[in-house]
Amino acid sequence: MAAADSPSAALRRRDLCSRGIRLAGKMRSDVIDLLDTYVERQGLDASASVVTVEGVPVAAVERWDEQTGTQRLLENLTAYRAFRVLLAQMLEEHREQLGDADTGLGRALAAVLLQVSAFAYHLEELLRLESRGPPSEEGTAPPPVPHLGLFERKLRGLGVLRELAQWAVRSARDLRQLTKPSPGSSSAPSWAESP
Amino acid sequence: MFSGWNWVAYGFCLLLNFSSLQVSGGLVQSCGHIIPESPVLALGSNFTALCILNESCLDFGNIYANQIIWKIKNQVVPKEQYREINRTVSSVTFNDTSSLATPLTCNILADGQIEQNIYGIAVTIGLPPEKPKNLSCIVHQVSKLIYPMTCTWNPGRHTFLDTHFRLKYRWPQDEFPDCIPKDVNNSCTITDVQFFVNLEVWVEAANALGKAESDRLVLDPIEIVKPLPPHNLSVNSGILPTVLKLSWENLISGAVMKLKFNIRYRTIGDGNWMQVPPEDTASPRTSFSVQGLRPYTEYVFSIRCMKEDGVGYWSDWSEEKTGVTTEDKPSKGPPIWRIIDASDSLVSWTVRLMWKTLEPFEANGIILWYEVTVRAKSSLSGPAEKYNVNTTNLTLKLPNGTYEVTVIARNRVGASPPSVLLIPASNSKAPVKAVRTLPKDGKLWVGWTAPNSYVLKYVIEWCLVSNSSDCIIEWQNEPGSVQGTYLRGDIKPFKCYLITVYPLYADGQGSGHSVKAYLQQDRPSKGPTVQTKKVGKAEAVLTWNHLTVDEQNGFIRNYTILYKTVDGNETAVPVDPSKTEYTLSSLTSDTLYTVRMMAYTDEGGRSGPDFTFTTQKFGKGEIEAIVVPVCLAFLLIVLLGVLFCFNKRDLIKKHIWPIVPDPSKSNIAQWSPQVPAKHNFSSKDQMYPEGSFTDVSVVEIEADDKKSFSEQDLKPFDLLKKEKSTSEGHSSGIGGSSCMSSPRQSVSDSDEGETTQNTSSTVQYSTVVLNGYRDQTPVQVFSRSESTQPLLDSEERSEDHTGGGDGTIQRQQYFKRSSGQDETNTDRPCFERTRQITPTNEEDLLGFAQLQISGHSSQLLGLGLEKNIQEAALPDVLQTSIEGQTLRPEIMEGYPLSADEMPKSYLPQTVRQGGYMPQ
């Protein structure tokens, strides 16, 4: 907490939160656009329901408002690290499947992947300001991708994007929550006391 | 000789050997090499190269390092830069590589005679890259999702080497591939960047001599975005006539960037943009209502955007869209004025009401019609006359009086406030004072001094003054608070305008105050045409006409009269412009003057055509002063002469008309039994039949006797000669003396040519025969000569002879006479010739004939010459001429006296020596 107490750290945290929120907003916007493109290009039905994909973190959570700041950051970081891997896989599959024929979808996927990476960096920085530092990625590595057919891969990709859109919304709310001053504390956010 | 060839062969072999190369196992091996191989050197640095000889060459060719010569291109490097490291290695050092060039060669001087190249290297000289400076980046939005970032920098000095630039960027946790510029070395574009994460950007420059990096730039690309301008801008008119609503779409997502806007607008035709206050559009939006616009006006709108917090760049302005506000009722009544024509009738006026169309910003719509109301002030309670007019004027015939005229403009929305004009009976109120004009900024400003009373407004009336067109009145209204305004109209330069200012009061109108003005003056288009009204000996009155208004092009400030003589200097005389006449004085008499006239405006002058006149030789009265005295003197002389003649009339009569006694009344006549008719000689034969001559008197005149003639004796003779000369024109061959006949007459006769000859051969000259009957009164008888010889020729020949005898001078005198021809003097040479007869010879005669040829017509001369030859057969005559001392009777025949002369020699009273005496 020593770092969090300094004015520059508070300023840095505020800046990171602010930009994280806007990045999450842009990411959501881009993912929504990407979803339309993806559904169209992959020949999927936009209303198709996708069951929960294994290895994809779920944005919905119970007792969200009871979470501490660090907990929120850690959950977010875990999720986005997972999305980073999943999107990289999707991009690789897309290139294997279409080569350079559909550069629009590939570019959009790459752009979203970059945003996910950037958001993960924001989260890591926030956690670093928390004096705990980000957890190692080795322990949070997603399970190996099961061998799936083409259609399943498409559906899986659709599920990843939909969940990412959900996470973008949640992340923005989490970061806003982090920027709110704690009612019982003058300056330190409540998530500083999280386990 | 042999040893010489041996040395050559040895050298050649050596050459082949060094040349280098020894073949060993199929590979070519050099005798040495240079270190470093093809170096790249920094400009200005020092450099040392080593040439290392192979050991094999040492043994074979006896070459050592001390024989090495370094060369740059073909120039030998000074030996001071060499250093022999050992017997196989030589070094060369350059303190400044700028003196280096390619190739640098190592050469050997074999046996001190033959120079052979061992090895060579290429040297590249350049500069290490400088640190790139001024790195800056901008993100251009090219579509809704694509944001390429372009970074530019200053690459620094030219390195003369192949230098590579790379734009490097990275996130704190991620590296990205470098951006490599294409075709340029100072910018590179990263195709897509992600926002909200700090990006570290820098430039790396590298070449063979080194590497340099710019300062690192850490930025969030969202802060350097130049967004696309809003698109699909639309303009809609609102409910209010002063509001237009703009709508647009933003091409950048609100999630990415919150925007603020600038909105600018202008009216159609106006180049100046107005801007909506920025604070009104500083928040994200997609529409805006612009207020405070003019009704029924077309506006052009444009919009741009940037990041809300002002970090980044403004977008370009969007495409322009137009919109028109709705109509509103006219904001003011039309300006109104009138022209009153009272010339038709004494009891009524023709009033032409005029009003101006409202400006668009005043009309606030389309004016449909004007309502004109005319009410007589004397009966305000009476009904007003109303007219609905579509035009901007109305002519009414009104009885004399005071009227109140109101005009209202109407459009679809409503009516304007009324404009009121009083038409007074007379302009009895105070006028403005000191009306003045001033050209300013291409317009004509009119100023005046307001009267003391409160003025409601002013009417400025003006018209173009021209000879070619009528004065078409234009006018404008100005509020009563101003004392000057610019004329609103097409005011042309170089034209004269008559400007009148009327003050309008609440209860009447002041009289107008006028002034003439020019927007811009120029030189007159022509000068005055000057001419003389009157020219005297030393003065000339010049007149001219004023230039017309169209020719003046400005106010004529003065005239200048320029006049000069043909070779004199020009004199200029300034003349007041109001004058049309001027008198030039102090002119020289009888001299040609050229005069012209210049008219000057403020901008210069122009000259009229030249006019010339000549002053008179005499002044007024000078001729009279000369002529009158002369005439008087002449008259006086004449009068005196007449008086003198009158007094001496007897004397004069005696000299001019001497009393000639009538022979018939003489005593002799009294004893003459028969007096034949004086001129009755028509028939000579009858009077003197052939052979009837009984006596011929021959008068012999001795030359010596001539001197004995007294003057008195000769006087009558002279008088006779004079008389003869005056009547010479009537003399003919008959009875005419050749002496009395003029030479011209003789020539005239001989001009007849052959005819004359024939005539001369047939004409018979008369001879005065003095009948000397001793017992009868001698009478003058004309006897026809039977001679066919022209008498005149004889005379001439005799004259020729005498002339020839005198030599050249005499002949010239003769010619003078014969061509001078004052015939009154023809008698004189006769006597002179008589006196000057001198001997001559044939040559002189011929010579004389030749002179005649040169002095007379050829025909005449031919004749004369021929006659001379013929007359040469007249020995008597010629002899007489030659002898010259005695005049024979034939000579007398050659000088026959006329009938009038006869009495002189005949008269008994005038008996002369040798004359005839009655017996």
Side-chain angles (χ1 to χ4, degrees):
Chain A
M1 281 307 299
D5 289 337
S6 70
S8 62
L11 209 61
R12 169 77 174 149
R13 186 172 59 242
R14 184 182 299 274
D15 176 58
L16 284 170
C17 286
S18 169
R19 290 160 69 187
I21 291 166
R22 296 175 68 184
L23 179 57
K26 182 174 188 302
M27 190 161 54
R28 181 178 177 276
S29 171
D30 290 352
V31 170
I32 297 296
D33 291 339
L34 178 58
L35 269 172
D36 294 340
T37 307
Y38 187 83
V39 167
E40 180 188 346
R41 299 292 169 85
Q42 301 290 1
L44 299 173
D45 184 2
S47 61
S49 63
V50 181
V51 293
T52 303
V53 181
E54 189 182 355
V56 175
V58 179
V61 64
E62 292 181 358
R63 296 182 181 178
W64 173 82
D65 54 345
E66 294 178 1
Q67 286 185 327
T68 62
T70 303
Q71 193 175 356
R72 293 174 195 275
L73 289 172
L74 287 172
E75 282 190 13
N76 272 272
L77 183 58
T78 303
Y80 282 98
R81 282 178 173 172
F83 281 122
R84 190 160 61 190
V85 173
L86 290 170
L87 287 171
Q89 288 173 354
M90 287 173 64
L91 188 59
E92 186 65 26
E93 289 167 2
H94 176 75
R95 285 174 181 160
E96 287 176 359
Q97 181 188 345
L98 298 174
D100 294 332
D102 192 354
T103 55
L105 182 59
R107 185 181 296 170
L109 275 172
V112 170
L113 174 58
L114 280 174
Q115 291 173 43
V116 168
S117 298
F119 196 78
Y121 164 72
H122 273 283
L123 295 172
E124 289 167 1
E125 285 295 302
L126 284 169
L127 283 169
R128 208 168 277 123
L129 287 173
E130 191 60 26
S131 304
R132 332 178 24 122
S136 168
E137 283 194 61
E138 293 173 0
T140 58
V145 180
H147 182 73
L148 298 172
L150 180 60
F151 184 71
E152 283 88 3
R153 289 207 297 267
K154 289 181 178 178
L155 281 181
R156 185 168 178 268
L158 182 62
V160 168
L161 293 178
R162 280 182 175 172
E163 203 56 43
L164 179 57
Q166 293 293 328
W167 265 105
V169 175
R170 180 187 162 179
S171 299
R173 293 182 64 186
D174 284 333
L175 291 178
R176 277 197 199 92
Q177 193 68 22
L178 288 174
T179 55
K180 286 181 181 175
S182 168
S185 156
S186 60
S187 62
S190 59
W191 45 269
E193 295 159 4
S194 61
Chain B
M1 184 69 185
F2 176 76
S3 63
W5 277 110
N6 274 346
W7 275 110
V8 170
Y10 176 75
F12 185 70
C13 291
L14 197 63
L15 182 66
L16 286 177
N17 286 334
F18 297 152
S19 18
S20 12
L21 303 174
Q22 293 179 338
V23 177
S24 170
L27 295 176
V28 177
Q29 189 178 6
S30 170
C31 272
H33 64 281
I34 296 174
I35 297 174
E37 176 75 37
S38 299
V40 178
L41 305 174
L43 191 66
S45 65
N46 57 19
F47 170 65
T48 299
L50 301 174
C51 183
I52 303 169
L53 300 175
N54 292 341
E55 290 289 343
S56 56
C57 292
L58 297 183
D59 299 336
F60 183 77
N62 282 333
I63 56 174
Y64 299 99
N66 60 356
Q67 295 171 287
I68 287 176
I69 296 172
W70 290 90
K71 296 178 82 174
I72 299 172
K73 283 191 174 177
N74 292 322
Q75 284 191 330
V76 177
V77 177
K79 300 249 182 198
E80 293 77 24
Q81 295 178 234
Y82 301 175
R83 195 164 73 89
E84 184 184 350
I85 294 174
N86 56 37
R87 67 185 194 120
T88 61
V89 179
S90 173
S91 73
V92 63
T93 300
F94 299 92
N95 290 328
D96 188 351
T97 52
S98 58
S99 62
L100 269 173
T102 294
L104 175 65
T105 57
C106 171
N107 307 276
I108 195 84
L109 200 60
D111 289 339
Q113 297 294 326
I114 301 172
E115 184 180 306
Q116 183 61 46
N117 177 252
I118 298 296
Y119 203 78
I121 59 171
V123 179
T124 305
I125 298 171
L127 292 168
E130 275 189 320
K131 177 182 173 182
K133 300 183 191 72
N134 300 332
L135 174 64
S136 65
C137 299
I138 181 171
V139 175
H140 288 280
Q141 183 189 13
V142 295
S143 71
K144 198 167 184 178
L145 296 174
I146 299 175
Y147 300 87
M149 183 174 78
T150 300
C151 293
T152 57
W153 60 89
N154 180 359
R157 67 187 176 194
H158 183 49
T159 63
F160 308 103
L161 298 175
D162 187 16
T163 304
H164 299 279
F165 290 86
R166 289 171 175 269
L167 177 67
K168 301 174 93 64
Y169 61 106
R170 71 174 190 183
W171 283 345
Q173 78 284 14
D174 286 316
E175 292 279 347
F176 296 103
D178 295 342
C179 176
I180 298 173
K182 289 179 181 176
D183 305 325
V184 293
N185 64 357
N186 65 341
S187 73
C188 193
T189 299
I190 300 168
T191 53
D192 199 6
V193 293
Q194 298 302 317
F195 299 135
F196 310 118
V197 186
N198 280 344
L199 194 65
E200 189 176 7
V201 185
W202 72 99
V203 179
E204 183 184 275
N207 65 16
L209 292 176
K211 187 184 288 186
E213 283 186 358
S214 69
D215 292 334
R216 301 200 174 201
L217 207 61
V218 178
L219 51 86
D220 184 347
I222 197 68
E223 296 171 348
I224 53 172
V225 173
K226 181 181 181 180
L228 287 171
H231 76 303
N232 289 342
L233 177 65
S234 63
V235 183
N236 300 302
S237 54
I239 300 171
L240 295 174
T242 58
V243 173
L244 285 173
K245 184 179 181 182
L246 309 183
S247 302
W248 63 88
E249 294 177 22
N250 295 318
L251 282 172
I252 194 165
S253 166
V256 175
M257 187 188 288
K258 290 183 179 176
L259 298 173
K260 65 177 182 180
F261 304 88
N262 276 167
I263 297 172
R264 64 178 184 178
Y265 62 97
R266 61 181 171 85
T267 56
I268 289 283
D270 185 6
N272 299 321
W273 289 95
M274 295 167 283
Q275 192 162 334
V276 172
E279 56 270 21
D280 292 352
T281 54
S283 57
R285 62 184 64 237
T286 56
S287 66
F288 187 80
S289 291
V290 183
Q291 303 176 17
L293 304 176
R294 292 201 301 258
Y296 199 63
T297 304
E298 188 172 13
Y299 286 91
V300 181
F301 291 92
S302 180
I303 187 171
R304 67 177 179 176
C305 63
M306 76 174 298
K307 195 160 173 279
E308 185 183 20
D309 57 6
V311 178
Y313 300 91
W314 279 105
S315 72
D316 294 327
W317 287 101
S318 71
E319 59 180 351
E320 297 176 358
K321 284 293 173 69
T322 60
V324 183
T325 50
T326 55
E327 285 190 53
D328 196 3
K329 61 183 180 182
S331 60
K332 61 177 283 190
I336 182 170
W337 187 233
R338 84 293 174 275
I339 298 174
I340 299 173
D341 184 4
S343 60
D344 290 345
S345 169
L346 293 174
V347 296
S348 65
W349 296 330
T350 300
V351 178
R352 180 178 167 83
L353 297 173
M354 307 176 293
W355 54 93
K356 291 186 180 293
T357 54
L358 292 169
E359 296 292 331
F361 62 88
E362 297 166 336
N364 292 339
I366 301 170
I367 300 299
L368 301 176
W369 71 86
Y370 298 94
E371 292 177 6
V372 182
T373 306
V374 180
R375 186 195 304 269
K377 287 284 277 186
S378 56
S379 59
L380 283 176
S381 57
E385 293 195 38
K386 286 192 176 182
Y387 307 89
N388 288 340
V389 186
N390 292 323
T391 60
T392 56
N393 59 75
L394 177 65
T395 302
L396 298 172
K397 199 169 184 70
L398 299 173
N400 292 356
T402 304
Y403 296 89
E404 182 184 270
V405 179
T406 60
V407 177
I408 293 171
R410 278 195 174 274
N411 64 11
R412 274 192 290 257
V413 177
S416 71
S419 294
V420 181
L421 177 71
L422 285 176
I423 299 178
S426 63
N427 299 331
S428 56
K429 305 293 182 183
V432 296
K433 289 170 275 187
V435 177
R436 58 204 177 273
T437 62
L438 182 68
K440 204 173 179 182
D441 302 330
K443 294 184 284 187
L444 194 58
W445 181 85
V446 182
W448 59 86
T449 302
N452 295 327
S453 309
Y454 172 73
V455 177
L456 206 59
K457 61 184 175 182
Y458 295 98
V459 174
I460 296 97
E461 190 182 273
W462 74 91
C463 72
L464 173 65
V465 182
S466 172
N467 300 102
S468 56
S469 62
D470 294 333
C471 188
I472 299 170
I473 289 176
E474 296 180 71
W475 56 278
Q476 68 187 55
N477 277 356
E478 294 298 329
S481 58
V482 303
Q483 295 191 32
T485 184
Y486 288 102
L487 294 187
R488 294 187 292 271
D490 182 20
I491 307 296
K492 299 183 176 105
F494 320 133
K495 300 290 183 187
C496 182
Y497 287 90
L498 179 65
I499 301 165
T500 308
V501 179
Y502 295 92
L504 301 188
Y505 300 94
D507 55 348
Q509 163 187 329
S511 56
H513 196 289
S514 298
V515 69
K516 282 184 177 179
Y518 286 86
L519 174 62
Q520 185 183 348
Q521 295 191 50
D522 194 7
R523 294 191 306 158
S525 55
K526 60 178 281 192
T529 302
V530 67
Q531 57 188 355
T532 53
K533 183 179 178 184
K534 186 179 173 187
V535 178
K537 180 182 176 185
E539 71 284 329
V541 180
L542 304 178
T543 61
W544 60 90
N545 292 324
H546 286 305
L547 295 177
T548 64
V549 175
D550 294 334
E551 293 166 345
Q552 289 179 4
N553 293 338
F555 295 112
I556 300 296
R557 299 304 185 192
N558 72 302
Y559 292 126
T560 298
I561 296 173
L562 301 159
Y563 65 97
K564 63 174 182 178
T565 58
V566 174
D567 52 353
N569 292 329
E570 198 167 55
T571 306
V573 180
V575 180
D576 189 90
S578 61
K579 293 185 176 177
T580 58
E581 186 174 306
Y582 186 81
T583 302
L584 294 178
S585 57
S586 302
L587 302 179
T588 309
S589 64
D590 195 23
T591 304
L592 179 69
Y593 279 91
T594 302
V595 63
R596 62 193 172 95
M597 195 159 182
M598 292 190 74
Y600 286 92
T601 65
D602 292 336
E603 297 299 317
R606 201 178 290 275
S607 176
D610 286 350
F611 181 81
T612 57
F613 66 89
T614 305
T615 50
Q616 292 184 353
K617 193 169 186 176
F618 299 102
K620 185 179 179 183
E622 277 188 8
I623 294 176
E624 291 82 347
I626 294 170
V627 169
V628 169
V630 167
C631 290
L632 289 175
F634 179 74
L635 287 173
L636 187 63
I637 290 167
V638 168
L639 188 62
L640 290 173
V642 168
L643 287 174
F644 177 78
C645 292
F646 184 77
N647 288 335
K648 301 291 182 180
R649 63 184 180 278
D650 295 335
L651 186 63
I652 292 169
K653 187 176 178 183
K654 181 180 174 184
H655 282 281
I656 296 176
W657 298 287
I659 300 170
V660 179
D662 187 354
S664 61
K665 294 177 181 175
S666 66
N667 294 331
I668 297 172
Q670 287 174 1
W671 52 258
S672 178
Q674 290 178 345
V675 178
K678 194 170 185 179
H679 297 290
N680 190 11
F681 46 86
S682 59
S683 174
K684 187 179 71 174
D685 293 341
Q686 286 179 356
M687 283 185 73
Y688 305 101
E690 211 170 292
S692 64
F693 288 95
T694 56
D695 189 11
V696 174
S697 299
V698 175
V699 180
E700 258 188 43
I701 303 172
E702 293 297 328
D704 293 338
D705 294 340
K706 198 169 68 177
K707 292 179 183 174
S708 63
F709 289 161
S710 66
E711 288 294 325
Q712 196 172 0
D713 292 336
L714 288 174
K715 229 172 217 175
F717 225 105
D718 289 337
L719 288 172
L720 270 174
K721 277 189 269 184
K722 282 181 183 174
E723 184 185 352
K724 187 68 183 175
S725 66
T726 55
S727 60
E728 182 183 65
H730 302 288
S731 66
S732 67
I734 300 173
S737 164
S738 66
C739 184
M740 295 301 176
S741 302
S742 70
R744 180 187 291 178
Q745 202 161 10
S746 301
V747 169
S748 169
D749 291 341
S750 57
D751 279 346
E752 299 294 329
E754 290 297 326
T755 309
T756 308
Q757 275 192 341
N758 294 336
T759 306
S760 63
S761 61
T762 55
V763 168
Q764 296 175 340
Y765 291 88
S766 58
T767 302
V768 177
V769 178
L770 303 176
N771 198 344
Y773 268 99
R774 62 184 63 169
D775 54 351
Q776 290 184 1
T777 306
V779 291
Q780 49 185 354
V781 178
F782 293 92
S783 173
R784 191 172 185 86
S785 172
E786 293 301 322
S787 170
T788 58
Q789 183 61 42
L791 190 56
L792 292 176
D793 287 347
S794 304
E795 291 172 12
E796 288 176 0
R797 198 182 55 200
S798 68
E799 288 169 3
D800 292 345
H801 284 285
T802 56
D806 269 342
T808 309
I809 296 173
Q810 293 298 326
R811 285 198 296 268
Q812 285 174 348
Q813 286 175 349
Y814 178 88
F815 273 107
K816 255 184 192 171
R817 272 178 238 120
S818 52
S819 59
Q821 290 46 317
D822 188 2
E823 296 186 359
T824 56
N825 296 331
T826 50
D827 51 348
R828 191 174 163 223
C830 179
F831 290 100
E832 287 179 356
R833 277 194 297 268
T834 306
R835 231 180 323 123
Q836 293 169 356
I837 287 173
T838 53
T840 185
N841 52 32
E842 288 293 328
E843 287 180 5
D844 290 336
L845 186 65
L846 189 59
F848 177 60
Q850 288 170 345
L851 281 172
Q852 274 189 316
I853 289 170
S854 63
H856 295 77
S857 70
S858 59
Q859 190 178 5
L860 168 66
L861 294 174
L863 181 60
L865 189 59
E866 186 182 352
K867 284 176 182 173
N868 283 339
I869 296 167
Q870 289 174 353
E871 308 255 335
L874 299 172
D876 293 339
V877 177
L878 196 56
Q879 188 181 356
T880 307
S881 299
I882 293 170
E883 289 170 2
Q885 304 299 323
T886 305
L887 285 177
R888 298 210 170 197
E890 289 80 356
I891 298 299
M892 287 305 293
E893 280 186 11
Y895 294 88
L897 295 174
S898 65
D900 295 334
E901 288 172 334
M902 291 310 292
K904 287 184 184 175
S905 57
Y906 171 79
L907 289 176
Q909 294 88 340
T910 57
V911 174
R912 288 176 284 181
Q913 284 186 348
Y916 171 77
M917 293 285 290
Q919 296 173 3

